[in-house]
Amino acid sequence: MYYILLIVGAALVNNFVLARFLGICPFMGVSKSIDTAVGMSMAVIFVMTLASFVTWLINFYLLVPFDLQYLQTIAFILVIAALVQLVEMIIQRVSPPLYQALGIYLPLITTNCAVLGVAILNIQLGYNLLDACIFAAGAALGFGLALVIFAGMREDFELNTIPEAFRGTPIALVTAGILSLAFMGFSGLVK
Amino acid sequence: MISSILLLGGIGFLAALVLGISAVTFAVKMDPREQEVLDQLPGANCGACGYAGCAAFAHEITVNPEAEMACPAVNEKALEAISAVLGRSLGGSAPLIACIRCKGAPAETTNRYGYIGPKDCRAAQIVAGGPKGCQYGCLGLGTCEEVCPFEAIIMGEDGLPRVIESLCTGCGKCVSACPRGIIQLIPRTGNYWVGCVSKDTAKEMKPLCKVGCIKCGICGDVCPFDAITVSKTASAEIDQDKCQRCGLCVSACPTGVISALSVPRKVHIIAEKCKGCSICEQVCPAEAISGKVKEPYLVNEGKCIGCGLCIEKCPSDAIERIIS
């Protein structure tokens, strides 16, 4: 039950994009079509879970013993970037189909703020290793959900007559705001 | 201070070491030919080949010895270069070009209602089948222009799209985008097409469009090669395999709906193959071929009408079609 609540809390109540406002760049950039949004979501789920695992270890087995927590941000960025590069190489060799599916999105999100955000939140919220991984997977699911919903809405814009001043990014931002309000309806569901 | 430098430096060094080692151990052997093939492809990532972009197709054609040249947009020079890189001859499909099969500009046609929705043919088509009186004609909102990855289609001042022949690669993006299905791909070596796809009879068409195919059948009658089929319920169709580009149908058509590519087609005699039999000179209706017996004959391009009769009659396959 605790883990279900953890996932629901991370995915819906405190949705990374719509409630915490992390990872807005890919949310705006890769949401023009549902296909690319799904590819991006898959890559985010993968990287966020992996990054949480590694950064948690780094924090508690390297930074804390040496009393260097103030280096958290830079150490995490360094480790996540290196890790994603490594994983990309391994996937390309071991599983070409998976490599094709994740495609360009994998290297794109190495230092995405949602990825770094989840790594830091794991530490701030005092999760243990398992909690951290599940929290990250839930958060990434929420990111993917928001991204796919938003991409679906943006696809429909193509067929609407939008006043000239709102065309393009302005209407996308307005829509993102309203979508965010809708997700506020989940607040209070999980503490 | 020292410990932080050591720690971060250590992590960085370790990461670099691991990445360096795995770059060697997990190296995926990329066929160097793949990059060379990719350099020759158009790079528009239009997807007409059926693969996810030019890189994916370059990979497929390099690793799979049975893969055919699926890129319709590749030009002859690039095709030769790719064949050379891969060491096998890639026939490829005959280069295609898009033609717009509607001549019903707004000035020539009537509308059923005023349309003020988004400027997109596909959207207009959803609204009660589009504003145009003729249910087969061009809606003129420029969706083909928008989807063309090579900027080869522009909307003319008359409100109809126009294909820029030198830029069109025959990728077919516009064909699938057009909700009316009036864009057709024809071989670049072809020359004529019927600028109408209406299934309306002449009587039904009269109030809707002044320039459509009225199914009179004259073109079918004048065609010496039996390449045009006409029926009461379909616009004339030119069979591009049978068509010999004589152009008789163009002048015979009473509504002027048969159109020609603007680049004329000519023939060329390959001097090494020509045995000087003089058959081509005799069959040429335009007196464009001349020469001495037993010496290579020559084509006067100014007179050649590109009908191709000589190609058919030549016993030594010495005549080829060229784009002038």
Side-chain angles (χ1 to χ4, degrees):
Chain A
M1 194 60 203
Y2 169 69
Y3 292 119
I4 294 174
L5 286 182
L6 194 61
I7 290 179
V8 170
L12 298 176
V13 183
N14 288 316
N15 186 289
F16 261 52
V17 184
L18 300 171
R20 289 191 202 272
F21 308 115
L22 289 167
I24 299 294
C25 166
F27 185 64
M28 283 293 152
V30 215
S31 58
K32 287 230 171 91
S33 84
I34 291 183
D35 285 350
T36 51
V38 169
M40 182 71 183
S41 307
M42 291 301 155
V44 168
I45 292 173
F46 186 74
V47 170
M48 269 169 81
T49 315
L50 200 67
S52 293
F53 179 76
V54 175
T55 51
W56 194 93
L57 291 180
I58 292 282
N59 188 69
F60 286 103
Y61 289 97
L62 278 178
L63 298 182
V64 174
F66 291 100
D67 208 15
L68 292 171
Q69 282 99 325
Y70 65 91
L71 286 177
Q72 207 182 42
T73 313
I74 192 162
F76 283 5
I77 289 180
L78 178 68
V79 171
I80 295 171
L83 178 77
V84 173
Q85 288 283 313
L86 178 68
V87 171
E88 196 189 356
M89 277 186 228
I90 296 174
I91 291 181
Q92 193 178 7
R93 175 66 176 268
V94 179
S95 168
L98 185 62
Y99 178 74
Q100 291 280 332
L102 296 180
I104 184 78
Y105 306 112
L106 202 52
L108 260 185
I109 49 171
T110 47
T111 49
N112 180 287
C113 54
V115 179
L116 185 64
V118 77
I120 291 177
L121 277 174
N122 281 333
I123 311 301
Q124 282 178 1
L125 298 176
Y127 288 138
N128 65 32
L129 188 55
L130 182 64
D131 286 356
C133 290
I134 291 177
F135 175 72
L141 272 175
F143 177 89
L145 181 72
L147 191 63
V148 172
I149 292 177
F150 191 51
M153 288 157 89
R154 283 187 86 172
E155 278 191 354
D156 281 351
F157 286 166
E158 302 282 316
L159 293 174
N160 288 340
T161 320
I162 294 161
E164 200 161 348
F166 282 102
R167 263 173 226 168
T169 312
I171 193 73
L173 287 169
V174 171
T175 315
I178 295 172
L179 188 61
S180 170
L181 281 179
F183 267 68
M184 289 297 166
F186 289 114
S187 62
L189 191 65
V190 178
K191 238 201 307 186
Chain B
M1 172 70 188
I2 295 290
S3 63
S4 60
I5 293 176
L6 279 180
L7 185 84
L8 264 192
I11 296 178
F13 184 75
L14 204 70
L17 198 70
V18 171
L19 280 181
I21 293 172
S22 57
V24 178
T25 41
F26 289 104
V28 175
K29 285 196 187 71
M30 252 256 294
D31 198 323
R33 296 178 302 168
E34 210 171 302
Q35 188 59 45
E36 288 175 47
V37 172
L38 185 58
D39 291 342
Q40 295 295 335
L41 293 173
N45 293 317
C46 67
C49 55
Y51 295 90
C54 292
F57 176 64
H59 174 74
E60 176 66 19
I61 199 163
T62 312
V63 298
N64 181 359
E66 280 172 14
E68 305 233 344
M69 173 48 77
C71 176
V74 75
N75 63 27
E76 260 173 57
K77 216 173 124 196
L79 192 64
E80 262 173 44
I82 295 172
S83 302
V85 169
L86 298 179
R88 61 196 169 99
S89 101
L90 295 161
S93 49
L96 299 170
I97 189 166
C99 58
I100 314 279
R101 294 195 58 185
C102 177
K103 306 194 102 181
E108 316 275 2
T109 53
T110 54
N111 275 354
R112 295 191 291 140
Y113 61 90
Y115 174 75
I116 52 164
K119 213 174 156 329
D120 185 299
C121 303
R122 291 167 292 196
Q125 175 74 20
I126 296 168
V127 185
K132 197 148 194 155
C134 170
Q135 55 167 317
Y136 305 97
C138 173
L139 292 166
L141 294 171
T143 295
C144 47
E145 178 188 33
E146 211 161 284
V147 300
C148 179
F150 301 97
E151 293 176 6
I153 299 184
I154 50 167
M155 295 303 293
E157 277 173 20
D158 59 355
L160 286 179
R162 205 159 57 77
V163 177
I164 303 166
E165 289 170 23
S166 55
L167 295 178
C168 177
T169 60
C171 72
K173 279 247 144 170
C174 49
V175 176
S176 44
C178 178
R180 293 272 166 121
I182 55 174
I183 307 182
Q184 189 188 8
L185 295 176
I186 64 168
R188 243 170 200 282
T189 50
N191 206 352
Y192 301 102
W193 77 89
V194 181
C196 182
V197 291
S198 171
K199 293 185 167 68
D200 289 341
T201 61
K203 202 177 157 195
E204 286 165 338
M205 184 185 288
K206 206 174 173 192
L208 307 176
C209 176
K210 291 180 207 148
V211 291
C213 172
I214 54 173
K215 288 94 187 162
C216 62
I218 294 177
C219 51
D221 292 340
V222 299
C223 179
F225 307 100
D226 217 8
I228 307 184
T229 47
V230 196
S231 78
K232 283 272 177 287
T233 53
S235 288
E237 284 287 337
I238 298 178
D239 184 336
Q240 297 290 346
D241 292 333
K242 288 185 185 168
C243 174
Q244 298 295 330
R245 296 115 188 133
C246 66
L248 282 174
C249 50
V250 177
S251 42
C253 178
T255 55
V257 75
I258 301 182
S259 323
L261 296 180
S262 60
V263 183
R265 272 72 190 145
K266 307 282 180 189
V267 298
H268 170 72
I269 297 178
I270 306 162
E272 296 83 55
K273 284 190 183 172
C274 178
K275 298 195 174 74
C277 68
S278 88
I279 292 178
C280 51
E281 184 182 6
Q282 289 161 30
V283 298
C284 180
E287 294 181 3
I289 304 180
S290 56
K292 282 185 193 152
V293 177
K294 293 201 175 162
E295 276 177 37
Y297 275 64
L298 281 175
V299 180
N300 180 343
E301 279 201 17
K303 285 184 180 173
C304 175
I305 57 170
C307 69
L309 278 176
C310 48
I311 298 178
E312 220 167 281
K313 300 289 179 190
C314 178
S316 39
D317 283 338
I319 309 180
E320 61 182 358
R321 205 177 279 286
I322 56 166
I323 296 169
S324 178

